[in-house]
Amino acid sequence: MSAEREVWREALGVVLATSAYGISFGALAVAAGLDVLQACVLSLLMFTGGSQFAFVGVFAAGGLAALPSAVASAALLGVRNVAYGMRMSPVVGGGAWRRAAAAHFTIDESTAVAISQNDPRLRQVGFWVTGIGIFLGWNATTLIGALVGDVLGDPKTWGLDAAAAAAFLALLWPRLKQRQAIAVGIAAAVVAAAFTPFLMPGLPVLVAAMVAILVGWFNWLGRAEPAAAATNASEVPR
């Protein structure tokens, strides 16, 4: 098997696995009060699973009153894509139009598949195949999930309400390798849980994010780990 075919196979495997989450999002969006068109527009324009789940989750809990918090929560989770864009800029190359198109497909999965390749050309193949493939698959499964949402009934019956939490945990878990990251995670979780009974939906997440930024900014517990830092330095992607 050629190297390019291997990249295609890897990318398509990621596409199939990730696109399946779109069914959960479509069903949850309809259950939260959005119609089929609104759910599909979110996937077309926002196209970042974590942010979409955050938006729908907060909106479902608080309705129109929680809309500003829903938007803020979604935007906060989408900030990570800015870092991905900086990492992918030399990989994508090309002119302004090419970079503008690539911006919409710069997500966790397309970035991961791209940087896992050693050859610059294969990195481009991995990025574009994964990004475009997930975009098409995610929007198709969002439509399916939204259409069958009423047939499925309560998403909790099928465990679809846990999809958002599972997606967030999948993003967080690989980063919990050092005491600093663990401290940030624990501090944010404790603050969010403490404020949940008193604030409208979405606001506890934003308060927890501020705490996480403060803990991370001052790098508490981070300076005492020279061995871990040396290990991480040796693992910088080629």
Side-chain angles (χ1 to χ4, degrees), residues 2 9 24 30 34 58 69 75 107 132 168 170 185 188 196 199 206 222 230:
S2 68
R9 188 175 72 169
S24 300
V30 171
L34 302 181
V58 175
S69 297
I107 54 177
I132 295 176
F168 297 149
T196 294
L199 299 179
L206 299 179

Side-chain angles (χ1 to χ4, degrees), residues 112-125:
V113 173
I115 65 176
S116 67
Q117 314 305 321
N118 294 323
D119 182 85
R121 184 180 63 84
L122 295 180
R123 286 186 173 186
Q124 287 198 7
V125 172

Side-chain angles (χ1 to χ4, degrees), residues 27-129:
L28 288 172
V30 171
L34 302 181
D35 59 32
V36 174
L37 179 60
Q38 289 170 330
C40 291
V41 168
L42 271 179
S43 284
L44 282 168
L45 301 182
M46 188 177 290
F47 185 51
T48 171
S51 295
Q52 291 179 235
F53 278 117
F55 179 89
V56 168
V58 175
F59 182 77
L64 288 176
L67 186 58
S69 297
V71 173
S73 298
L76 188 64
L77 283 172
V79 168
R80 71 186 190 280
N81 288 1
V82 176
Y84 295 158
M86 295 172 63
R87 181 67 176 86
M88 289 294 97
S89 180
V91 173
V92 173
W97 286 106
R98 184 183 180 91
R99 291 175 183 270
H104 200 54
F105 304 124
T106 302
I107 54 177
D108 302 271
E109 294 81 6
S110 61
T111 302
V113 173
I115 65 176
S116 67
Q117 314 305 321
N118 294 323
D119 182 85
R121 184 180 63 84
L122 295 180
R123 286 186 173 186
Q124 287 198 7
V125 172
F127 173 82
W128 289 107
V129 173

Side-chain angles (χ1 to χ4, degrees), residues 95-190:
W97 286 106
R98 184 183 180 91
R99 291 175 183 270
H104 200 54
F105 304 124
T106 302
I107 54 177
D108 302 271
E109 294 81 6
S110 61
T111 302
V113 173
I115 65 176
S116 67
Q117 314 305 321
N118 294 323
D119 182 85
R121 184 180 63 84
L122 295 180
R123 286 186 173 186
Q124 287 198 7
V125 172
F127 173 82
W128 289 107
V129 173
T130 306
I132 295 176
I134 291 178
F135 178 78
L136 297 175
W138 180 265
N139 281 279
T141 53
T142 294
L143 175 60
I144 294 172
L147 290 175
V148 304
D150 292 333
V151 178
L152 291 175
D154 188 354
K156 295 181 180 179
T157 303
W158 303 90
L160 295 179
D161 58 313
F168 297 149
L169 183 60
L171 289 173
L172 176 64
W173 190 260
R175 292 164 173 78
L176 300 180
K177 296 180 179 179
Q178 299 180 21
R179 286 182 296 175
Q180 170 69 10
I182 295 173
V184 170
I186 292 176
V190 169

